[in-house]
Amino acid sequence: MKKALKIVTIGGGSSYTPEFAEGLITRAAHLPVAEWWLVDIEDGKEKMEIVGQLAQRMFKKAGLDTKVVMTLNRKEALKDADFVTTQFRVGLLEARMKDERIPLNYNSIGQETNGAGGLFKALRTIPVILDICKEMKELCPKAWLVNFTNPAGMITQAAITYGKHERTIGLCNVPIGMTKGIAESLKEKESDVEVLMAGLNHFVWATHAYVNGENQITKSLNFLIDNPAEAPANFSHEKWDPSTLRSMNVIPCSYHRYYFDTEKMLQEEIENAKTKGTRAEVVKKVEEELFELYKDLELKEKPKQLELRGGAHYSDAACGVIDAIYNDSNARIVANTINNSTIRSLPPHAAVESTCIVNKSGAHPLAVEELPQWMDQWLKLIFSYQDLTIQAAVNGDYNALLQAFFINPLTPKGAKAADLIKDLMIAHEQYLPQFKDLITSYKK
Amino acid sequence: MKKALKIVTIGGGSSYTPEFAEGLITRAAHLPVAEWWLVDIEDGKEKMEIVGQLAQRMFKKAGLDTKVVMTLNRKEALKDADFVTTQFRVGLLEARMKDERIPLNYNSIGQETNGAGGLFKALRTIPVILDICKEMKELCPKAWLVNFTNPAGMITQAAITYGKHERTIGLCNVPIGMTKGIAESLKEKESDVEVLMAGLNHFVWATHAYVNGENQITKSLNFLIDNPAEAPANFSHEKWDPSTLRSMNVIPCSYHRYYFDTEKMLQEEIENAKTKGTRAEVVKKVEEELFELYKDLELKEKPKQLELRGGAHYSDAACGVIDAIYNDSNARIVANTINNSTIRSLPPHAAVESTCIVNKSGAHPLAVEELPQWMDQWLKLIFSYQDLTIQAAVNGDYNALLQAFFINPLTPKGAKAADLIKDLMIAHEQYLPQFKDLITSYKK
Amino acid sequence: MKKALKIVTIGGGSSYTPEFAEGLITRAAHLPVAEWWLVDIEDGKEKMEIVGQLAQRMFKKAGLDTKVVMTLNRKEALKDADFVTTQFRVGLLEARMKDERIPLNYNSIGQETNGAGGLFKALRTIPVILDICKEMKELCPKAWLVNFTNPAGMITQAAITYGKHERTIGLCNVPIGMTKGIAESLKEKESDVEVLMAGLNHFVWATHAYVNGENQITKSLNFLIDNPAEAPANFSHEKWDPSTLRSMNVIPCSYHRYYFDTEKMLQEEIENAKTKGTRAEVVKKVEEELFELYKDLELKEKPKQLELRGGAHYSDAACGVIDAIYNDSNARIVANTINNSTIRSLPPHAAVESTCIVNKSGAHPLAVEELPQWMDQWLKLIFSYQDLTIQAAVNGDYNALLQAFFINPLTPKGAKAADLIKDLMIAHEQYLPQFKDLITSYKK
Amino acid sequence: MKKALKIVTIGGGSSYTPEFAEGLITRAAHLPVAEWWLVDIEDGKEKMEIVGQLAQRMFKKAGLDTKVVMTLNRKEALKDADFVTTQFRVGLLEARMKDERIPLNYNSIGQETNGAGGLFKALRTIPVILDICKEMKELCPKAWLVNFTNPAGMITQAAITYGKHERTIGLCNVPIGMTKGIAESLKEKESDVEVLMAGLNHFVWATHAYVNGENQITKSLNFLIDNPAEAPANFSHEKWDPSTLRSMNVIPCSYHRYYFDTEKMLQEEIENAKTKGTRAEVVKKVEEELFELYKDLELKEKPKQLELRGGAHYSDAACGVIDAIYNDSNARIVANTINNSTIRSLPPHAAVESTCIVNKSGAHPLAVEELPQWMDQWLKLIFSYQDLTIQAAVNGDYNALLQAFFINPLTPKGAKAADLIKDLMIAHEQYLPQFKDLITSYKK
């Protein structure tokens, strides 16, 4: 008999929390949870209490005695935890709005995981994840850290290489959506298709889709090309040229469009910023409505409206990993892990996103076949700017940051880069202690 | 409902065949076999009929209607096969005796998978495996080739890279024995220990042994050091220095002793050759006795005496792989596959032996962590002579063969190498068509 | 006593030819040239005769008996040549105009060595250089091929890897200008500064500038930053951010600006195309004027006006290499050679541009120190699209071409790439025999 | 006008010193030396005075006013030095005798640069070279360190990577002898043959021998094979098989025979140890006789008998490098430098021995072509044990030392390695402060 778990969720006041509760409830028969601690900061307290109480009602309705604890005291929560999940956002949606709007002033993509915005989200988040790793080392050294905080690849890499918390697994919902879409395109049940993915977070490709031992990726790709209306939202957005896609013979994720259709994506962002608001601004409104719903004491389940929020499948991903570890199930899950030898063209310390076997000893990525030159090259490029960004975040290294901009295809270079960096540094000043001297120098 | 299988075993007259039959019978409930074809050559016909008839009696006793077919016509057998297993020995035990005795004349290890003998076994076997691949391409292109023929690594690599039969999986019983030994050393059930292995066939190391998610390899290693009497036969033979083993913190396989205790192994071989005979000569006697037993019409099961033969667990390995593929079970099996990115320090086309997940789409090796410098170096060395040997075998390339000797730590170099190669070429002349001109030139 | 040389210049009708003549005349004392053959095609015959006759007058005036031969028969010229220089332009300036103008329709850089234009110049030129290599193999297998035809890196790589003419050296005048500029910035004589360069053609960096054994690259860089007015034209154009340059601590070449200030470069091109014409159009006028001058029978030297043409120092570069080989002088020259191990992050078959020692046995590149991550990454990116372009050029491989566009930072991707490729294919149809089927399919 | 030099020679009491003096005298016209400081320890004082006074007589006879200073005060000597040469032997010939004799007890090669003896010489010497680097950093940071102390590759690597003295160049006389032998085999003057070498110290190969721009290495190799009597002593010793040599198509150095004819070399060593003494014992007698000669006040030149000592050409090598740096001559010299990208298959921090261009900014190795698999593999093996030995020497790391033995083809493994290490540790105790605790533990 294995013991019931203590799970801790940092950023507990997130609007995703009810989905997570649902995930735990669905799996309760084989995944017993004794305590679920939600942790947040003072600014998130109110939201945390709303979702925490909703979660309590949901567990009660399900007849489960899981104890939901809400706290601002992270250390108390971490003590003897079995799993720690992270879904916090440093600076809340206000910071995201800045990441989205400020780069637009430079005619440059403003987005929370790519371009200048993604880099600054990493700069703000990495110091916090390193603090969490430090506390875990002391308070729950054997706990698994399951991270969804974006940019999930960089955060995972920082936690393992600088935070030295090897038991870290990074997750994203993009591969889940892709897997579902590929199965649909092949008219197969999801469980009958073995999809292999490889790449980096938000820059991943499905390279194989086995049905009965035969790779059907070409068939899936052709279907998606020929039936854009039936393709998953992500894919159809992209307007890839069919001959380009066929020359690749792999299926891209939705975020690739930032790199391969940059101009159009930028125009959309500029247009949105003028009209309906940036993504953060839209999400803010959705969240306000959601929290109004959550407050309803009669509500005892995840409301349908949450799906508009955009985080579908996070629950699957996170609870799925906890389940696979707890039950030693060798489940096939796409996760972010340290590369080691998974993708030969990236260095061992890179966090890669790829198909893993998850069991009691963690997530074991499957070795990846040699990649074509064009993909190899793009992966190296994306990895390199992320690696430099992590160095910049950890050491407050302005040179590394300039160089990250220098190789990131979505950011300005040279003098324009220096100006944009300055604007973002000043805007996010309170979350960038490692750049204190630089920011002070800007103000002189 | 999946269809019942057609399995073909090339080298069907092997003394192992009854164990294989037992493996199929044990798994019959979930692994239905309609036809099992045994294939052999004229010289093996008598033995094949003995073991084939024994197998027929075994299936009958088990109440199974599996049809056992014996044939000398390989092409007929291969037609529409689902699985092809290879356990043939080119030149039979007589050739092995030469591989074992001739190198001793040069004060050099004589052994069937290592040293000069192992190289010549590869030279004889590779042309045959390439013929089989060619026939499979025509007659059963989707069948899986499960190879146990030694040297299993080189044969697997040749089948995939030169034979272009991607659906090839190489097997060995050494990792099975190691896994059992490690579990025993930890006082755990085998199924509760997740052993990770990495290396090359007959040069593999157990690098991790997870129990409840914790790596216990050091504990296992210490037990084996402190309790040599309880260590598996393979391990205790080796007389490794405890401090050397502790500095490595991985568990070696038994064949490493040829490289790390060469002098003593050579003395043992010389002594044995003078007294009880070489291994082939011992096996020959054991086999003669076995076949006497097999002939007994009352015998309807695998006789106990087979265990003396030394091939224990081959049945587990081969039937286990067929089972995992047929039932799509994601079983964890140590197998020889093409490296791709599995072990970073070896090139993608190397056949590596490592922990794989086996399912309908084949054997997927888990990515391996960075290896320590000493292990990395030894793997490269062993791989390189194997790679050169394969080139020599495929192209009849004497220079590549000389260079393989030049880097193989167990073979003589320079003039002595040339002399030993000459002796072995002449001894094995009839099985080395690719070196016909060279052998002719020797005779002038 | 070494024999006087036979030099062949393919594209002999070039406006650069008088500079080349001057280079030979200056070096005549230690570099005796018996015959100089100019080769051109029918369309270039008139120009060749003008510059050939000017060259004859120049040699005569210098009191040299070098025989200048003009021919349309390339094979006759190549027979027993010692050196072959290539400075031809497939499709003449008209083709260049298309390379410059058509991409602008797609809001994309139009330039003859970078972006879509550079790729198509490679597609047109590589088949011709391979023909030349084939003829040289037969007619002058030991001759050195000294190539200036752009894109010089790709042409050199194709000649060595596909043309199998190992004795190929690629040249560019950019490193010569950089070396002069660096010496001036340090107030030293050029001969007293040992500049080390590394990179790819038109994407090269000066990494060291030794004066009396001390690396003064930082001093040079700081001077160039602080004194833009005194910086060489190439450098000052770039408006690099000082902090970015200081973080790099190497000196970029002028072509980098296409990658790092893309938007501005594009705007300049668009503006020029509307007003004074593209570069090809400007050059066309300059050339018309030059050829008027060249026709003057009283002209017996290189006219000053040639310097406006933009090819200054080509003479130095080409004659310098011929001189260093002929006189076995171990001269330090920046050249394009096969990488081998020169730059670790690029594969052995890449053509790299770096500091070489040139003597009788050819150009030996000095091994390059490990490069910083950002530079390493950019070099890999540029190399990869070039490598794919060469594959496309040799094999008429449309997929490789799409993939080259896919990783080239200056070209559109996906559907837009397909459209631009179509326009350029049709425009250059007569020079792209390897894409005949594709072009035919466009027209249906 | 460049200033006259201050040269410091550590291990000044060496019997080689008169040859060095001769090298300086020969070059005096273009290599002015103001002061030559000889440094030694108390035990070497008497010898230093003998050779120092001989050197003074030699300079005087040559009419040079070079001041020869003898001192036991290394720091005083190093102050403001321009060049520091190192030719010391930690533990004198007595230590070498132990390195040669003790391994023989284990039936293992006993030699001062290879096998267990070579490893222990590195363990003794590296702490001293690091002290010297530290003092140079303070007293003469811009001086060049020219090291001949063996094992020259490991010492050079340690000085650069751990001593952080980048201006270190390692030298050996083996490549000089090879170059001379190759020129003779081709009946050419040495200056007319451009020999390219690549490898590691005492494990180097001549890969090219250009005469008039054509590679004649095959011709040279064939001559050496066909005319063993005319081959250099080193080569003829080896009794390489002609077909093996031809398959390699490169020329080995003499030390390769320890690896490729190990058994015979071992038997020779055992025989010598019983009869005429080990090499150190022979050298000891030769040195005693030499120093008797050196004492003769009438002796004012290098005596012929020095050539028996075995260190011919060291003078050429060391003075040649000093000359090339001082006169900025771009001389082609085979030296040990940090690899960077010189040999792709070795890591950047390896010290490689290869053809360099030497000038004011140091020794610049030429990039090396891709090496054949067998050579690549051997280089990696030798490098890896050296790299582990350096780690052991710097950190007193017993595990690294065991692992170095584990991959060194000339040393015992496992328990036998542990015993031999123990014997050597105790024998050299006073020179191995970094292993103090280990040695203490042995004695309990």
Side-chain angles (χ1 to χ4, degrees), chain B residues 206-207 217-219 221 244-251 374:
Chain B
T207 60
I217 197 81
T218 309
K219 186 175 162 190
L221 181 62
T244 299
L245 278 173
R246 287 196 179 100
S247 93
M248 293 173 166
N249 202 30
V250 293
I251 295 179
W374 65 265

Side-chain angles (χ1 to χ4, degrees), chain C residues 259-324:
Chain C
Y259 297 92
F260 305 140
D261 202 9
T262 313
E263 211 174 319
K264 195 178 148 224
M265 294 303 294
L266 178 60
Q267 293 317 314
E268 275 183 24
E269 286 186 349
I270 291 171
E271 182 61 24
N272 287 342
K274 284 185 197 151
T275 54
K276 63 177 178 182
T278 68
R279 180 73 192 147
E281 289 153 6
V282 170
V283 164
K284 200 169 157 66
K285 279 179 223 150
V286 172
E287 290 219 338
E288 281 162 8
E289 291 162 20
L290 276 174
F291 277 90
E292 279 310 306
L293 286 173
Y294 291 172
K295 280 181 195 165
D296 177 357
L297 295 185
E298 293 312 303
L299 183 72
K300 292 169 185 168
E301 58 187 8
K302 188 190 75 176
K304 279 281 167 214
Q305 293 88 331
L306 177 51
E307 279 161 32
L308 294 173
R309 170 66 183 85
H313 311 311
Y314 268 116
S315 152
D316 269 12
C319 297
V321 159
I322 294 174
D323 186 348

Side-chain angles (χ1 to χ4, degrees), chain A residues 142 144 167 191-192 194 196 210-214 328 330 332 339-348 357 359-361 364-370, chain B residues 142 144 167 191-192 194 196 210-214 328 330 332 339-348 357 359-361 364-370:
Chain A
K142 295 195 172 173
W144 293 91
R167 291 186 163 200
S191 58
D192 287 346
E194 179 186 0
L196 299 187
Y210 288 104
V211 179
N212 281 321
E214 305 266 354
D328 198 26
N330 281 334
R332 201 166 47 227
N339 183 33
N340 288 321
S341 67
T342 312
I343 296 181
R344 184 180 286 267
S345 42
L346 297 177
I357 295 298
N359 61 22
K360 249 187 313 196
S361 57
H364 304 282
L366 304 179
V368 167
E369 285 184 22
E370 277 189 288
Chain B
K142 295 195 170 174
W144 292 91
R167 292 188 162 197
S191 58
D192 287 347
E194 179 186 0
L196 299 188
Y210 287 103
V211 179
N212 282 320
E214 304 265 356
D328 198 26
N330 281 334
R332 200 165 47 227
N339 183 32
N340 287 321
S341 67
T342 312
I343 296 181
R344 184 180 286 267
S345 42
L346 297 177
I357 296 297
N359 61 22
K360 249 187 313 195
S361 59
H364 304 281
L366 304 179
V368 167
E369 285 183 22
E370 277 190 286

Side-chain angles (χ1 to χ4, degrees), chain C residues 404-424:
Chain C
F405 270 71
F406 202 69
I407 56 180
N408 185 325
L410 300 182
T411 53
K413 320 266 164 273
K416 228 170 121 181
D419 290 344
L420 173 51
I421 289 171
K422 183 178 171 184
D423 284 1
L424 285 163

Side-chain angles (χ1 to χ4, degrees), chain B residues 166-411:
Chain B
E166 286 182 22
R167 292 188 162 197
T168 301
I169 298 174
L171 287 180
C172 182
N173 64 347
V174 167
I176 301 178
M178 290 173 73
T179 301
K180 288 182 191 297
I182 290 168
E184 282 167 28
S185 74
L186 294 170
K187 324 280 182 231
E188 300 282 349
K189 278 192 299 180
E190 195 178 330
S191 58
D192 287 347
V193 185
E194 179 186 0
V195 177
L196 299 188
M197 297 206 190
L200 295 158
N201 178 243
H202 285 196
F203 206 87
V204 74
W205 309 81
T207 60
H208 297 76
Y210 287 103
V211 179
N212 282 320
E214 304 265 356
N215 184 8
Q216 303 285 12
I217 197 81
T218 309
K219 186 175 162 190
S220 174
L221 181 62
N222 286 337
F223 178 87
L224 295 173
I225 290 170
D226 297 338
N227 300 276
E230 290 182 54
N234 283 338
F235 186 84
S236 63
H237 271 243
E238 297 178 41
K239 305 267 176 59
W240 294 84
D241 168 54
S243 61
T244 299
L245 278 173
R246 287 196 179 100
S247 93
M248 293 173 166
N249 202 30
V250 293
I251 295 179
C253 84
S254 60
Y255 283 86
H256 290 303
R257 58 186 159 149
Y258 286 103
Y259 296 93
F260 305 141
D261 202 10
T262 313
E263 211 174 321
K264 194 176 149 224
M265 295 303 294
L266 178 61
Q267 294 316 316
E268 275 183 25
E269 286 186 349
I270 291 171
E271 182 62 25
N272 287 342
K274 284 187 198 150
T275 55
K276 63 178 178 181
T278 68
R279 181 74 191 147
E281 289 154 4
V282 171
V283 164
K284 200 169 157 66
K285 280 179 222 150
V286 172
E287 290 219 338
E288 280 162 8
E289 291 162 20
L290 275 174
F291 277 90
E292 279 311 305
L293 286 172
Y294 291 172
K295 281 181 194 164
D296 178 358
L297 295 185
E298 293 313 303
L299 183 72
K300 293 168 184 168
E301 58 188 9
K302 189 191 75 176
K304 279 281 169 214
Q305 293 88 330
L306 176 52
E307 279 161 32
L308 295 173
R309 170 66 182 82
H313 310 312
Y314 269 116
S315 151
D316 269 12
C319 296
V321 159
I322 294 173
D323 186 348
I325 292 174
Y326 183 78
N327 291 302
D328 198 26
S329 69
N330 281 334
R332 200 165 47 227
I333 292 174
V334 177
N336 289 265
T337 64
I338 276 304
N339 183 32
N340 287 321
S341 67
T342 312
I343 296 181
R344 184 180 286 267
S345 42
L346 297 177
H349 75 282
V352 299
E353 185 166 288
S354 70
T355 303
C356 298
I357 296 297
V358 182
N359 61 22
K360 249 187 313 195
S361 59
H364 304 281
L366 304 179
V368 167
E369 285 183 22
E370 277 190 286
L371 301 173
Q373 190 168 14
W374 65 265
M375 195 198 287
D376 189 77
Q377 185 49 47
W378 266 104
L379 288 175
K380 283 176 184 167
L381 182 73
I382 301 299
F383 165 71
S384 292
Y385 89 70
Q386 294 189 351
D387 201 45
L388 285 162
T389 302
I390 295 168
Q391 293 167 36
V394 172
N395 305 313
D397 181 342
Y398 179 57
N399 283 348
L401 185 60
L402 276 171
Q403 291 166 5
F405 270 70
F406 202 69
I407 57 180
N408 185 326
L410 300 182
T411 53

Side-chain angles (χ1 to χ4, degrees), chain C residues 194 340-342 344 346 361, chain D residues 194 340-342 344 346 361:
Chain C
E194 179 185 0
N340 288 322
S341 67
T342 311
R344 183 180 288 267
L346 297 177
S361 58
Chain D
E194 179 185 0
N340 288 321
S341 67
T342 312
R344 183 180 287 267
L346 298 177
S361 59

